[in-house]
Amino acid sequence: NIDFLILSEVEAKGITKYHDSAAIRKKTFFEYAATYFHDKSPNTHVIITLGSDGCVHLKNRAIDKVATVKKEPIDPTGAGDAFAAGFVYGFLDYMSQNKDNCGITSHALKTSMLWGCASGCCCVGIDGASRPPEKKIIEQVLTGVQAVNEAESVKPPSGER
């Protein structure tokens, strides 16, 4: 079993073959991907990164979005890896602080996605992927990412991407 699958929008479109059929396009990409991944592996939490638009979480055909702060990218190299590292850190940190929780909760997922977005955002602001930002810098960006998500009611993407 796979608990989490983290991939970019381009990778998700390739796996789902969304681009291959006009008939498929009666649904938005996210609606189609949610159904596709649910049918293939219903217990997997699928996270699709969207660059400067944040990320979406797909599970049980549901779609949840987390926005990120907009930042002019210097170098996108390693942003996906940075997102994944931040996501895993956020998840493990949340679970270690909430030991009474049994299982993957919506709050654990939201926390993980916020950390992922903050880490990815920090990564694109640095030239080259070999110099990760310090944790305090990621925490500062995390505050901005949290504010973006609190300020607006983030809704699932509805249009074609």
Side-chain angles (χ1 to χ4, degrees), residues 71-77 79 119-128 131 133:
K71 186 173 197 169
E72 190 63 37
I74 295 171
D75 183 357
T77 305
S119 296
C121 186
C122 286
C123 179
V124 301
I126 298 172
D127 188 23
R131 296 181 310 136

Side-chain angles (χ1 to χ4, degrees), residues 56-149:
V56 294
H57 168 246
L58 310 176
K59 176 103 172 36
N60 296 328
R61 296 187 176 96
I63 305 166
D64 299 305
K65 185 176 190 296
V66 166
T68 192
V69 292
K70 303 290 182 188
K71 186 173 197 169
E72 190 63 37
I74 295 171
D75 183 357
T77 305
D81 293 335
F83 177 93
F87 181 92
V88 170
Y89 175 84
F91 182 76
L92 294 175
D93 186 57
Y94 178 86
M95 295 305 280
S96 71
Q97 293 179 33
N98 296 278
K99 294 183 193 263
D100 295 337
N101 266 335
C102 296
I104 302 168
T105 66
S106 61
H107 196 267
L109 284 165
K110 176 96 176 210
T111 299
S112 302
M113 292 165 65
L114 291 168
W115 270 97
C117 286
S119 296
C121 186
C122 286
C123 179
V124 301
I126 298 172
D127 188 23
S130 61
R131 296 181 310 136
E134 295 178 24
K135 183 181 176 191
K136 67 180 181 179
I137 301 298
I138 297 171
E139 289 172 333
Q140 290 171 354
V141 173
L142 177 65
T143 300
V145 172
Q146 290 168 327
V148 166
N149 284 280

